[in-house]
Amino acid sequence: METDINSQDRKDLDKFIKFFALKTVQVIVQARLGEKICTRSSSSPTGSDWFNLAIKDIPEVTHEAKKALAGQLPAIGRSMCVEISLKTSEGDSMELEIWCLEMNEKCDKEIKISYTVYNRLSLLLKSLLAITRVTPAYRLSRKQGHEYVILYRIYFGEVQLNGLGEGFQTVRVGTVGTPMGTITLSCAYRINLAFMSTRQFERTPPIMGIIIDHFVDRPYPSSSPMHPCNYRTTGEDTGVTYPSVEDSQEVCTTSFSTSPPSQCVFTVTKAHFQTPTPVVTDTLRVPMAGLAFSHQLSSSRLSYQPAALGVGSADLAYPVVFAAGLNTTHPHQLMVPGKEGGVPLAPNQPAHGAQADQERLATYTPSDGAHCAATPSSEDTETVSNSSEGRASPHDVLETIFARKVGAFVNKPINQVTLTSLDIPFAMFAPKNLELEDADPMGSLHSDGSSGGSSGNTHDDFVMIDFKPAFSKDDILPMDLGTFYREFQNPPQLSSLSIDIGAQSMAEDLDSLPEKLAVHEKNVREFDAFVETLQ
Amino acid sequence: MNCRSEVLEVSVEGRQVEEAMLAVLHTVLLHRSTGKFHYKKEGTYSIGTVGTQDVDCDFIDFTYVRVSSDELDRALRKDALRNSGGDGLGQMSLEFYQKKKSRWPFSDECIPWEVWTVKVHVVALATEQERQICREKVGEKLCEKVINIVEVMNRHEYLPKMPMQSEVDNVFDTGLRDVQPYLYKISFQITDALGTSVTTTMRRLIKDTLAL
């Protein structure tokens, strides 16, 4: 595209876009680490803070971003995308967001690169900081830990939104016009978090007692691996070092002029380093025809597994070491394995790396502070089961994910079950009416009882409409845990305590009293002798 | 030049007022603050670095990002506290302005170029369950407000020109040590539950007094 931009401005613009892309990735990934981010303001320019914002550079993230870009820049038809997804302990994953940095054809030829574009990119980064905290994935990422982790993937090329499910929403973070095109930053995020159980059953039928931990095929074969959004500080033994920000080849020192914009002074100095990083380049490589932009084969991971670097399949992801199951005393709480990992790991992971991951993944527990309004709490199960309309809480995610049940009782369709054929203990005492109706999972705990349905059990103080314990629901077969619970809610009364039987025995006793008294009177002497022996 | 005006409305419970106000104020000021200017010779200047930090709300399911400046945070908290508590409708205005020097005896003129008005409707809730639902709903509402604010900010409409060293105090608040927001002021208007505003009541009182 022919523009009036001079070569120096073009160079500056390319540099700005490159570092903007890197900083964008840092902001997004850091916002999904599950921790609060805090950086300090500095009144004096440090020279290494691009766009006058203190955004730390996680070396691995920079490395992945540079690998994905491979020396190219976002341009028309070539977008840089950061995909954020959730992966459960059972190995199921779900895309949550796609952040896109795109360029379109609308040019602003009058704009000044070194001044206006730079400041607007800075403003856009601030907007990104704000927006990354308001999408639904933020709250999910703050609660990641034992049950699920958040992963990220960077790819370059065409935006792939199909993994977000139906009805995904988009939010535009902002735009900055440049002489080469308009930079646009936007986010498409999933709003339907309940799709997973269906997809799971399409691919893997439930198998009792086996935790399936192989990976589900992705709809689009992506060769760039997922990385978890958690970060190990450089103080730990990693075995691999990535270039930190100080090793980057360019340091930004900006000076601005108060004179008219045409006289802006903008200096960029190149720091000299001993070990130049092979992947870092500030020259713009022209893409060759047929080069696939979106494929970056790598198995490098944030977890610093030296043995795994350069080895492994493209879809390698983290070993997840969780147990999924229902603890009936806390129906909304998953069993959490100990740190030793009592659950089988993904088979193709080095054990030491997996152990390290396991230790690091427990960053946030659901019981943490004020952010657990949407997480299970035993005193507010209504809110949990009826999470806000349209907006799925993390609990909804978990509730639908763990639909496959590992249990002790055989699942049978409830309408084919007769009482005698129920192979559960005390089946003969089960209530006759076993209709299932749709209602809240914890409908029995409603203080005002249930409205409508009845379980047919007249001994109930309240009527249970339907009981669907979390994580035991089975789409194909009816739940037996629920049946078990319902049946044992009302055990039969002891016969000796029942009024009828008691009344009967008392009447008999009264009738037989005169005869007994007569017998005792005959044996008075024997009784007296007995009493004397006792004295 | 017309002053740009944006209005945001939120309904919150009493104890959420302060946090909701701060969330909006900080989100706006994040976009309207720069690093400290350091002027050099030949009319050039360099800009300091702005840090950011996440703030979790205690009474709302919400996290916002603010500029890492305790001074700025203290100043805003002092202002936000004035409008908290009680039922009714409150309105806060965050106004960005430029100073225009006037000749003696006239004082400097303050010309607003952007005004953010936040209307806060305070509701009283009776049960804990309602409060829990309110926590989530207000959190969602604030998310929408942040998106609205960001949308306005990225329209790239009028911003004061970067000033010379002698005029920097006419555009920026240079009193803070670590960051430099545009000159701003915050004003409040509190209306009680009856819909009578304090200012109109005072005005009526003064008028009545003068009429005697």
Side-chain angles (χ1 to χ4, degrees), chain A residues 39 43 115 126 256 373 389, chain B residues 33 38 45 61 68 137 162:
Chain A
T39 56
S43 60
Y115 174 73
K126 290 174 183 172
F256 294 89
E389 49 281 357
Chain B
S33 299
H38 296 273
Y45 61 95
D61 286 346
S68 288
K137 289 210 181 304
M162 285 300 141

Side-chain angles (χ1 to χ4, degrees), chain A residues 34-84:
Chain A
E35 301 158 357
K36 289 204 295 189
I37 303 298
C38 180
T39 56
R40 293 182 62 180
S41 300
S42 167
S43 60
S44 309
T46 59
S48 59
D49 291 324
W50 276 90
F51 309 105
N52 307 117
L53 284 174
I55 299 171
K56 280 185 195 143
D57 284 324
I58 300 177
E60 305 93 324
V61 177
T62 304
H63 178 76
E64 292 301 322
K66 284 177 176 169
K67 240 177 18 181
L69 288 171
Q72 300 165 78
L73 292 176
I76 296 162
R78 297 199 312 263
S79 309
M80 188 190 76
C81 301
V82 182
E83 178 189 295
I84 301 292

Side-chain angles (χ1 to χ4, degrees), chain A residues 94-96 136 160-170 188-196 198-199 202 219 390-392:
Chain A
M94 175 167 67
E95 287 176 25
L96 299 177
Q160 299 161 10
L161 297 177
N162 293 332
L164 293 176
E166 290 181 3
F168 63 86
Q169 291 191 354
T170 56
Y189 59 92
R190 165 186 292 278
I191 54 172
N192 177 17
L193 294 174
F195 88 110
M196 281 212 59
T198 325
R199 190 172 94 160
E202 283 167 6
R391 187 195 116 180

Side-chain angles (χ1 to χ4, degrees), chain B residues 65-79:
Chain B
V65 181
R66 71 168 175 91
V67 166
S68 288
S69 168
D70 291 338
E71 281 180 83
L72 182 62
D73 186 44
R74 274 196 297 271
L76 293 181
R77 280 179 189 274
K78 211 166 57 173
D79 287 329

Side-chain angles (χ1 to χ4, degrees), chain A residues 210-498:
Chain A
I210 296 175
I211 297 173
I212 295 173
D213 58 1
H214 69 269
F215 303 110
V216 175
D217 286 338
R218 301 180 68 79
Y220 287 90
S222 66
S223 48
S224 49
M226 304 297 303
H227 306 279
C229 292
N230 45 35
Y231 172 53
R232 188 188 293 189
T233 59
T234 53
E236 298 180 34
D237 181 20
T238 61
V240 174
T241 52
Y242 289 101
S244 62
V245 65
E246 289 77 19
D247 294 341
S248 66
Q249 287 187 347
E250 301 192 51
V251 173
C252 166
T253 57
T254 57
S255 296
F256 294 89
S257 170
T258 52
S259 351
S262 58
Q263 295 176 24
C264 271
V265 171
F266 185 90
T267 58
V268 176
T269 61
K270 285 193 181 182
H272 184 67
F273 296 100
Q274 295 173 354
T275 55
T277 314
V279 295
V280 174
T281 171
D282 60 343
T283 59
L284 189 62
R285 268 195 266 148
V286 177
M288 312 264 284
L291 188 68
F293 304 139
S294 63
H295 285 33
Q296 289 296 327
L297 293 174
S298 165
S299 61
S300 65
R301 294 159 35 171
L302 272 183
S303 68
Y304 286 111
Q305 296 186 21
L309 248 181
V311 171
S313 69
D315 273 337
L316 207 62
Y318 264 70
V320 279
V321 293
F322 318 111
L326 176 65
N327 181 347
T328 51
T329 58
H330 298 283
H332 300 286
Q333 184 179 28
L334 291 178
M335 292 188 287
V336 174
K339 288 210 167 173
E340 294 74 27
V343 175
L345 308 178
N348 51 356
Q349 298 303 317
H352 65 278
Q355 183 67 22
D357 291 337
Q358 184 186 356
E359 287 164 5
R360 270 188 311 110
L361 287 169
T363 54
Y364 229 84
T365 60
S367 59
D368 186 68
H371 305 284
C372 297
T375 54
S377 63
S378 54
E379 62 270 10
D380 203 358
T381 52
E382 276 187 43
T383 313
V384 171
S385 58
N386 292 324
S387 25
S388 48
E389 49 281 357
R391 187 195 116 180
S393 67
H395 180 68
D396 279 345
V397 173
L398 300 176
E399 200 164 359
T400 53
I401 287 169
F402 300 104
R404 179 168 11 112
K405 190 177 61 61
V406 179
F409 297 103
V410 176
N411 290 329
K412 284 184 186 171
I414 208 71
N415 54 1
Q416 296 172 14
V417 167
T418 59
L419 289 176
T420 54
S421 68
L422 280 176
D423 56 349
I424 53 173
F426 307 111
M428 55 185 293
F429 297 112
K432 305 268 189 288
N433 188 352
L434 296 176
E435 278 178 356
L436 296 178
E437 296 168 24
D438 284 339
D440 294 332
M442 301 300 282
S444 61
L445 297 182
H446 284 176
S447 55
D448 54 348
S450 52
S451 45
S454 72
S455 64
N457 195 329
T458 55
H459 295 292
D460 286 346
D461 292 330
F462 42 79
V463 179
M464 189 187 305
I465 299 173
D466 186 21
F467 183 61
K468 294 180 187 173
F471 313 113
S472 72
K473 189 169 175 5
D474 211 314
D475 278 344
I476 295 173
L477 301 169
M479 65 213 86
D480 56 0
L481 185 62
T483 314
F484 172 80
Y485 192 91
R486 235 182 1 176
E487 281 147 11
F488 284 92
Q489 268 224 322
N490 296 292
Q493 277 191 334
L494 294 174
S495 58
S496 57
L497 296 178
S498 68

